[in-house]
Amino acid sequence: MNDSSALLEVRDLKLGHHSKRNGKLSLAVSGLDFDIRKNELIVAVGPSGCGKTTFLKAVAGLHPVLSGELKLDGKQITGPGVDRSMVFQDSSLFPWLTVMENIVYGLKAQKRYDAAGKARAEWLLDLVGLAGRGKAHPSELSGGMAQRVNLARALATDPELILLDEPFAALDAQTREVMQEELLRIWQSGGATAGKTAIFITHDVYEAVFLADRVVVFSAGPAHVAEIVDVTFDRPRSPELKRSPEFLRQADEILSLVMSQSWAKERMVTA
Ligand SMILES: Nc1ncnc2c1ncn2[C@@H]1O[C@H](COP(=O)(O)OP(=O)(O)OP(=O)(O)O)[C@@H](O)[C@H]1O
Ligand SMILES: [Mg+2]
């Protein structure tokens, strides 16, 4: 692929954690290599503990790079920035702030809470289906509603790259399906959220195929890229797609790839 079209470049990336007990380094990611193009929705899947969250945190600038390249718009990532925002698995809303105060928190921190920022926040509240709930507190929201607020908060600062770490994993199956459709609706709605670049982590291969332009399958940890699968279904995508034979075939293919990595890991552990 042509490097000049890459928004994020990952080259021979190595990430790790130092043990709090003895300071020993254990690798979480090693030899990770791939590119993300502008406007792509990339889904990353892989065995539990293989290094997905560590990778996403490094992209967010919250985890140091040991070696290799991790470049956003051609510049090595060295810390957090206004060009990225992250959505975590569990709602990370501030319980003492209202829904709207949570959504505009980043804008205020960046001193960008002007008339345009306010209008954008109102528009996002509406976009995520919570118009009229801006004065509610997080404790009054269902899990699905809280994740909608998280999504609106992440989009409020108009980041170039949005990082989603299993954002729907804590939701029940039905709400999760709704949220997947909502996410695509927001993605496909045009306007200020159109053409965002995103990295979405999930363990759900159906969610992966439904959302992704490409699915990156991480190997057993320390993670490298085991396989990249192109998902070529047209957009907009509707829920009926999930019942089509080609959809099920692709999901099955990705599941097999992840499972083979999980077996590889089992062998590593028991060997
Ligand atoms: N704060 C930490 N300190 C030490 N080791 C850590 C820390 N966080 C993660 N690890 C280790 O790094 C490796 C990768 O963890 P990571 O959370 O990135 O995996 P993951 O792919 O996101 O897993 P899951 O799918 O279960 O969320 C694991 O071996 C984990 O034990
Ligand atoms: Mg994780």
Side-chain angles (χ1 to χ4, degrees):
M1 98 173 238
N2 179 4
D3 270 356
S4 64
S5 64
L7 176 70
L8 188 79
E9 293 167 75
V10 186
R11 290 280 171 280
D12 200 15
L13 184 68
K14 200 173 271 186
L15 306 169
H17 299 273
H18 289 279
S19 157
K20 284 202 177 69
R21 229 170 351 103
N22 55 18
K24 221 177 130 215
L25 175 73
S26 64
L27 289 180
V29 163
S30 182
L32 191 69
D33 225 285
F34 69 107
D35 285 340
I36 297 178
R37 300 166 203 137
K38 225 176 164 65
N39 305 340
E40 257 190 323
L41 207 168
I42 289 284
V43 175
V45 297
S48 185
C50 75
K52 301 179 297 294
T53 294
T54 308
F55 168 67
L56 215 63
K57 284 186 175 164
V59 178
L62 302 172
H63 192 95
V65 170
L66 291 175
S67 67
E69 289 179 6
L70 185 59
K71 287 185 174 171
L72 184 69
D73 266 336
K75 287 190 284 294
Q76 183 83 359
I77 292 170
T78 53
V82 295
D83 44 11
R84 283 150 289 153
S85 55
M86 190 151 167
V87 178
F88 296 91
Q89 173 172 349
D90 296 308
S91 162
S92 51
L93 299 173
F94 297 121
W96 59 88
L97 297 180
T98 65
V99 163
M100 185 48 94
E101 286 165 349
N102 267 285
I103 292 176
V104 301
Y105 184 85
L107 283 173
K108 282 185 175 165
Q110 294 171 20
K111 308 221 177 327
R112 287 165 57 201
Y113 187 54
D114 51 13
K118 197 162 188 263
R120 181 176 170 80
E122 290 288 349
W123 177 77
L124 281 167
L125 188 70
D126 189 30
L127 188 70
V128 298
L130 289 174
R133 304 301 299 267
K135 288 199 171 70
H137 277 82
S139 60
E140 300 168 71
L141 305 177
S142 67
M145 288 158 97
Q147 281 307 61
R148 287 164 196 255
V149 179
N150 264 325
L151 203 56
R153 181 172 67 172
L155 290 166
T157 51
D158 196 19
E160 223 180 325
L161 184 58
I162 177 162
L163 308 164
L164 304 119
D165 192 1
E166 301 193 48
F168 306 149
L171 305 177
D172 64 88
Q174 208 182 337
T175 308
R176 187 177 186 142
E177 300 257 326
V178 172
M179 290 300 291
Q180 291 165 7
E181 288 160 36
E182 288 286 283
L183 182 69
L184 285 193
R185 180 181 63 77
I186 291 166
W187 233 251
Q188 292 154 178
S189 68
T193 58
K196 286 270 170 254
T197 312
I199 310 175
F200 186 110
I201 293 176
T202 184
H203 280 283
D204 179 336
V205 294
Y206 301 98
E207 184 166 82
V209 176
F210 187 57
L211 298 176
D213 291 313
R214 290 189 296 153
V215 177
V216 179
V217 182
F218 280 27
S219 72
H224 58 268
V225 173
E227 190 90 34
I228 297 182
V229 179
D230 282 310
V231 181
T232 51
F233 300 115
D234 291 342
R235 295 186 192 270
R237 294 176 186 170
S238 67
E240 288 74 54
L241 176 66
K242 290 183 176 170
R243 291 196 289 272
S244 80
E246 181 53 18
F247 180 92
L248 295 171
R249 193 200 62 72
Q250 286 218 357
D252 203 45
E253 179 190 344
I254 290 162
L255 184 62
S256 301
L257 288 164
V258 176
M259 291 299 283
S260 67
Q261 288 305 320
S262 302
W263 296 132
K265 186 169 182 171
E266 292 275 301
R267 277 203 298 279
M268 254 172 42
V269 171
T270 53

